[in-house]
Amino acid sequence: MTDASKPQGSRPEARNPRGFIDRRARDLVAERQILAAVSAVYERYGFEPLDSPAFEYADALGKFLPDADRPNEGVFALQDDPDADGNGQWMALRYDLTAPLARFAAQNWETLPKPFRRYAFGPVWRNEKPGPGRYREFVQCDADTVGSARPEADAEIIAMAAEGLEAAGVPAGGAILKINNRKLLNGLMASAGVTDEGQKLAVLRAVDKLDRLGPDGVRLLLGEGRKDESGAFTKGAGLGGGAAERVLAFTAAGAGRGDTLGQLSNVIGGSVEGDEGLAELEAIDRALVSLGVGADRAVFDPSVVRGLEYYTGAVFEAELLLGTTDERGQPVRFGSVGGGGRYDDLIARFTGERVPATGFSFGVSRLAAALRAAGRDAAVELRGPVVIIAFDEARMADYFAVAGELRAAGVPAEVYLGSSGMRAQMKYADRRLSPAAVIIGGDEFAAGTATVKDLDLGRALSAGVTDNAAWRTDRPGQVTVPRAELVATIREILDAQALAPAP
RNA sequence: GCCGCCUUAGCUCAGUUGGUUAGAGCGCCAGAUUGUGGAUCUGGAGGUCCUCCGUUCAAUCCGGAGAGGCGGUACCA
């Protein structure tokens, strides 16, 4: 085996790049169903589809602009057409669908109908450390309204997101949209004397961890800092005790609708920006009520932060409440499957003109994985084609004719194209989860017949069979019919299987 | 980025206190069965023991460095 046919050490290892995965039929069918269902909902709301390139010039993507020192920080970037000095335009794979939308809207602003409503889906790439269920390439689906400052635009996005998740297969009560407004926390921090941008960020980060660390952990992070179990120390926001308690009181204002608004107005009190945020949430509440979205589907939750600078007003997050378990039966918290909010400054980066915008995006693969883990993907069932056994070299033309007839009748079919014997061919059909196999050998040709084997019937019967000889001679589910009745016979088998539970 | 654990067959893992030919289960291939899936039995293929350097008569095993994987943490557009 150490001969020339196997040069040692010179073979590439067949493996995926770190953080990238192959997705097979099962995953793809599930994702396609989700996208089809969600697209239909979004279009019903008047959103038009848009596709944009995988690459954008790096400056258009915004703050993750690669530079000479760290060209790959966060994004996958390359230099387009570099000259002799290595100078070229930096371009990068998009890391979300919102930045490309901002570029597109700015570029076509003069001719777009405004407000502009579009949805988009496709892969996005992030050059960062992968984690469990977290990859460097994944499919996102995003919907935005550009050019409307009305809180109703936010409410409609929220309502549409809720409806979209249900259409994708999340059962009623399986997810909740949590809504907050950046202006509330900004107002609160302003009245507490927090003006430093770095300190503001630290406060946001601390609040974001409320669900994981609890109020005590967040209190530490708002103050001096916190040391976790592994001994790593996270520097805190450096807030004084009074200010920290005010922030905590704010985040504790409950997750409801009208009652939460009342509590928030007590805690916020005073600042102009805070009052503005409160008024926006009240308007969103009214719109949600008229859109038929109750507190069972969307609530106000002051602990929702959603990322950093970018958002300027309302923010929302979709949390999955479905009970899910992993392969070992351990419960898994999927948590957030999507989020969004109002970003009024993103397009101004290009045009200098402030354009209000709001949107929501979710991870399609992640949602599919969550639905699978929750056992909600039963509708996705992969059946193989009808397999025509390649019995006789000289008769291949006849086999292809059978395949053609079946395909013309709308039945997925294929002629076995390997070189193995019949046993292996049957095994192949079984493994493909084929509904039926067609056997036309010398006997059938002589008699002008075809033998059709109902593989599901055999699958069902095989459980009770212990003797191989009997299993073979019984030939379960097998019928021989005149060649002319072949397609009709298979049709009957398929119709019968459609009524039976999946094998 | 930081911390910890791990790396032996396609997969899950044994094992060798450093010594001739490194094992199991599952999976795969074939036969028992000229033309039939599951089960069973029999046989077979499949390994640079992650890589490099060092120590040694001798390294899959000991030491060092590196790579890759997993988990936590930080970041998350």
Side-chain angles (χ1 to χ4, degrees):
Chain A
M1 50 158 221
T2 52
D3 61 9
S5 71
K6 192 178 178 181
Q8 298 289 313
S10 63
R11 291 178 167 180
E13 189 184 346
R15 55 172 186 152
N16 292 91
R18 178 178 167 80
F20 290 85
I21 51 162
D22 300 310
R23 287 142 61 235
R24 295 194 57 180
R26 192 184 174 80
D27 305 302
L28 295 175
V29 169
E31 287 182 19
R32 200 159 61 190
Q33 284 189 354
I34 289 173
L35 285 171
V38 171
S39 296
V41 170
Y42 286 8
E43 287 184 19
R44 222 178 295 143
Y45 272 80
F47 286 68
E48 66 173 67
L50 174 72
D51 198 20
S52 66
F55 273 101
E56 294 282 344
Y57 282 124
D59 56 0
L61 284 178
K63 69 174 201 174
F64 295 91
L65 211 173
D67 56 38
D69 299 331
R70 308 189 305 172
N72 283 329
E73 193 68 17
V75 297
F76 291 98
L78 57 84
Q79 259 181 318
D80 187 27
D81 195 22
D83 62 20
D85 299 327
N87 293 315
Q89 181 68 247
W90 277 104
M91 48 196 273
L93 287 171
R94 65 188 180 200
Y95 53 78
D96 70 7
L97 297 170
T98 311
L101 168 66
R103 189 268 304 157
F104 174 85
Q107 193 175 334
N108 298 282
W109 192 242
E110 299 300 322
T111 54
L112 283 180
K114 292 169 278 283
F116 178 59
R117 295 146 79 80
R118 72 92 246 223
Y119 75 95
F121 55 82
V124 301
W125 295 267
R126 296 182 183 185
N127 189 4
E128 59 192 3
K129 181 189 154 187
R134 223 176 111 156
Y135 306 103
R136 298 206 287 175
E137 175 184 47
F138 56 95
V139 177
Q140 222 177 43
C141 181
D142 177 80
D144 298 81
T145 297
V146 180
S148 173
R150 305 181 65 114
E152 289 83 358
D154 298 297
E156 202 178 41
I157 290 275
I158 292 162
M160 193 171 78
E163 201 172 314
L165 288 174
E166 279 167 32
V170 178
I176 192 141
L177 278 139
K178 303 193 293 190
I179 308 157
N180 193 9
N181 195 315
R182 272 300 167 75
K183 291 177 181 175
L184 297 179
L185 209 52
N186 285 344
L188 181 70
M189 288 194 285
S191 70
V194 181
T195 50
D196 179 68
E197 284 303 321
Q199 197 173 23
K200 282 186 183 174
L201 282 180
V203 171
L204 291 178
R205 286 189 192 125
V207 171
D208 198 28
K209 292 185 177 60
L210 185 68
D211 58 336
R212 202 155 42 83
L213 302 180
D216 293 335
V218 172
R219 184 175 288 112
L220 291 172
L221 283 174
L222 287 171
E224 290 308 306
R226 173 178 178 274
K227 187 184 282 193
D228 63 44
E229 308 84 62
S230 74
F233 182 76
T234 308
K235 196 173 182 304
L239 247 51
E245 290 311 319
R246 280 191 67 184
V247 171
L248 280 168
F250 166 75
T251 61
R257 284 270 281 275
D259 46 337
T260 303
L261 285 177
Q263 286 186 49
L264 282 174
S265 67
N266 294 336
V267 197
I268 291 293
S271 82
V272 176
E273 202 178 3
D275 289 344
E276 207 177 293
L278 213 51
E280 287 173 10
L281 288 188
E282 280 162 8
I284 288 174
D285 180 41
R286 281 194 301 274
L288 283 177
V289 169
S290 61
L291 285 163
V293 178
D296 56 328
R297 295 201 287 172
V299 295
F300 295 120
D301 184 337
S303 69
V304 169
V305 172
R306 286 304 298 175
L308 304 173
E309 294 101 320
Y310 189 114
Y311 292 115
T312 53
V315 289
F316 10 100
E317 187 164 282
E319 187 182 345
L320 216 58
L321 305 172
L322 285 175
T324 58
T325 54
D326 66 13
E327 309 83 52
R328 294 170 195 152
Q330 298 295 310
V332 176
R333 256 201 67 181
F334 260 90
S336 168
V337 290
R342 180 161 281 283
Y343 51 97
D344 286 347
D345 294 331
L346 221 49
I347 289 160
R349 290 184 51 247
F350 298 95
T351 62
E353 194 182 334
R354 194 166 212 240
V355 177
T358 183
F360 173 84
S361 56
F362 67 94
V364 177
S365 332
R366 192 172 166 73
L367 180 60
L371 289 171
R372 174 166 328 137
R376 292 282 174 174
D377 64 335
V380 176
E381 187 197 324
L382 287 176
R383 296 307 305 253
V386 170
V387 171
I388 296 138
I389 303 293
F391 207 96
D392 183 348
E393 280 295 320
R395 297 285 194 166
M396 289 304 279
D398 297 282
Y399 300 139
F400 282 116
V402 172
E405 281 175 42
L406 286 168
R407 289 167 185 161
V411 177
E414 73 177 48
V415 179
Y416 178 80
L417 291 182
S419 52
S420 300
M422 184 168 176
R423 181 184 155 85
Q425 298 191 36
M426 289 303 298
K427 210 165 176 168
Y428 172 81
D430 189 40
R431 185 178 286 188
R432 291 291 303 273
L433 216 57
S434 295
V438 174
I439 304 166
I440 308 179
D443 298 348
E444 285 86 355
F445 277 120
T449 58
T451 296
V452 179
K453 196 175 175 81
D454 179 340
L455 293 175
D456 274 10
L457 193 57
R459 285 182 187 103
L461 293 174
S462 77
V465 177
T466 52
D467 176 54
N468 188 253
W471 163 252
R472 288 190 161 208
T473 49
D474 283 359
R475 303 205 164 155
Q478 196 165 315
V479 292
T480 299
V481 299
R483 174 67 181 75
E485 292 170 21
L486 174 57
V487 173
T489 304
I490 287 182
R491 190 78 263 169
E492 274 171 39
I493 289 173
L494 294 181
D495 290 345
Q497 287 177 359
L499 301 172

